[in-house]
Amino acid sequence: MAMIVSGEQTPIARKISTHAVIRTVMANGPISRADIAKRTGLSKQTISEVVRDLEQDGWLKPTGRTDGRPGRTAITYELDAAAGLAVSIDLGGTKIAAAICDLLGNIVAELKVPTDRRGGIHLVEQFCRTISDLNALAGTSSDSLRLIVLGTPGVLDPATGHIHAAPNIPGVEAINLRQLLSETLDIPVIIENDVNLAAEGERWRGHGIDVDNFAFVALGTGTGMGIIANGALLRGARGAAGEISYLPIGGDPFDPGGFNLGTFETAVGSMAMTRRYVGFGGRQGATVADLFNAFECGELSAVAAIEETARLTALAIAAIGATLDPELVIMGGSIGARPELVEAIRRYLPRCTPDPPRIEISHFGNRAALIGGMGIAVDHMHDDLFGVDLGEP
């Protein structure tokens, strides 16, 4: 909504004006001051003062001059994306992916390293080393970093940031990971469930960009689901919404042995797939990669293993559809994003549900959580740097 402001501004009015200018430049830059005034309804004097202050503080930079118009040309401005940097980290059971991004979500540096299998406090040390390596790659320093977004397996308590039910990351449940990392680097830290971040990544720049109701289902070493319901992330009462590992599918849900990994994960995770492959006559000691290679060669034991995994996953998606009614289910993870598996899931779905949702493979593959972390970081940086707090009404 356009807003007319003239004369001397109060501090809150100046904040609102600054917010309007920044949002306009972000959406339309490079842009001249005259065009900013037209789009915001702010006075030319106010625009000149706000742009001058933002340029002096390093948030805006001149990029050229207008052309193709009658009369004098004018300086155009755009956001200096390098004025704010953040780190996104995706903690996996075997690998850590990390990236530095700028205010516009551009990747400045990115790397991947094996996860320290000792877990616990050793992860904090590894994160610090990884961020140092990223800074070296980018030619930046930790002083320029404004935020760290960390994606982790497990159930996250949204109030405390404490992580529960993360059996693939030893020792992480025994420490306050957010507090330790924030205090060590003196940078604010946001921790989020990795599959929730993957869903946020798809909503930010992937298949979910125009979809208000969808689920991101990750299959790999473990299983999980991120839920976007009515345009917002659904967490549940204890932050455990989407923990499909515990769906009573693929085994006996009353067997307490399934309480650790979950009945469904025990039936479709990577260990289950290789165990199923060997049970159908496949090679002893085979990996998931071996299984898919054998599938490509038409080996019947591999075909049977993937078909059974797809059948069980279709049952899970049917249950998801009955409870959440998503327009779209996005498949991700090292196993869930495999086209061979997704094709089989699509075949099984109409056999177990009358109205199957659309199924897509993640736009970002195994980088979805990393991208989601960057999206969260960009939103928070914009809010912190340019947001307006009007206080209580």
Side-chain angles (χ1 to χ4, degrees), residues 140-174:
T140 57
S141 68
S142 292
D143 292 340
S144 62
L145 301 178
R146 297 182 175 273
L147 181 67
I148 298 170
V149 179
L150 172 63
T152 173
V155 177
L156 181 75
D157 185 323
T160 66
H162 193 75
I163 301 165
H164 307 273
N168 295 319
I169 310 291
V172 75
E173 299 180 41

Side-chain angles (χ1 to χ4, degrees), residues 70-88:
R72 298 192 316 179
T73 61
I75 299 173
T76 57
Y77 296 88
E78 69 179 11
L79 187 70
D80 187 351
L85 301 175
V87 177
S88 175

Side-chain angles (χ1 to χ4, degrees), residues 40 57 76 114 126 160 177 190 219 255 279 345 351:
T40 61
D57 292 342
T76 57
Q126 186 174 29
T160 66
L177 187 56
I190 294 172
L219 303 181
D255 178 2
I345 291 170
R351 297 167 59 183

Side-chain angles (χ1 to χ4, degrees), residues 92-95 117 153 167-169 218-224 245 261 264-273 288 332-336:
T94 58
K95 289 188 171 88
R117 297 301 299 165
N168 295 319
I169 310 291
L219 303 181
T221 304
T223 63
S245 298
L261 295 179
F264 181 59
E265 181 173 313
T266 302
V268 300
S270 58
M271 291 179 61
M273 288 189 70
V288 172
S334 58
I335 293 172

